[in-house]
Amino acid sequence: MIDLLRFGDDGWGDELARGLMTTLTLAIVCFITGTLIGLMLMLVRRKGRFSRALVELYVTVLRGVPELLVIYLFFFGTGIFVRKVAASFGYTEYINLSGFFLAALALTCITAAYSAEVFRGAASSIPPGQTEAARAFGFAPAKAFRLIELPQLLVVALPGLGNIWLILLKDTALVSLTSVAELMRQSAVAAGATFRPFTFYAIAALIYFIISMLSERLVLLAERRVAIVGER
């Protein structure tokens, strides 16, 4: 096994390391952007009945469709859509979109749908009287949200966002089916080349497990830190 994991031409250690970096990069990018979009969706939901209906439709569809199917739809449909739009403006050259970009786009949209629900639930736990009091003191809506509601919102939403991160980390393995060279894809290539599928899939499982455990510990530490700051 040590020889199989050696770095260089004689082993697969460097391929697995690059796959791990791609997995972590994909997960971090999608989590940050998806969380920010989810927060914006929560705010858009408040703008009126029509906006609320659109956001609820988006959240319901993205949460109700299997993640793998969403990835396939983005992977095969986005390129067609972009090329048709470009053709309508007279651009006929072939447009090749990056597999990493398409995977990140799909996972970001999925993360945004789940985080929007987390933020909605967290916002409902904050007493509306606080916002009303801020406006009574002359705070603009944006300032009242930034100084009063947002800090409490993040504290309440932190456990839910931690769960979304763990789910997203494991969902990155699904993009291996679209040829993105992340950890699962590299493990599959190594397994096929060496005829040692159990070995490489077990190694991949161990890596995912270690990252998940470390992430869970970090989330717990963040929750405790936030609780201590809140008590002060």
Side-chain angles (χ1 to χ4, degrees), residues 49-114:
R49 185 175 301 176
F50 180 72
S51 299
R52 183 169 62 252
L54 286 180
V55 173
E56 289 178 354
L57 177 63
Y58 171 84
V59 171
T60 301
V61 171
L62 268 294
R63 295 177 70 212
V65 177
E67 284 86 351
L68 180 58
L69 184 55
V70 174
I71 292 171
Y72 276 152
L73 291 174
F74 273 88
F75 190 81
F76 294 108
T78 305
I80 297 174
F81 175 77
V82 170
R83 285 189 287 271
K84 285 186 176 181
V85 172
S88 66
F89 288 95
Y91 186 83
T92 58
E93 297 292 331
Y94 182 78
I95 301 175
N96 186 25
L97 298 177
S98 166
F100 182 90
F101 169 77
L102 295 174
L105 183 62
L107 291 177
T108 295
C109 291
I110 295 171
T111 303
Y114 282 94

Side-chain angles (χ1 to χ4, degrees), residues 110-147:
I110 295 171
T111 303
Y114 282 94
S115 60
E117 281 298 288
V118 170
F119 284 124
R120 183 192 64 80
S124 64
S125 67
I126 300 175
Q130 296 186 13
T131 304
E132 295 173 358
R135 292 178 180 175
F137 278 99
F139 281 47
K143 186 176 182 180
F145 174 78
R146 178 170 55 88
L147 297 180

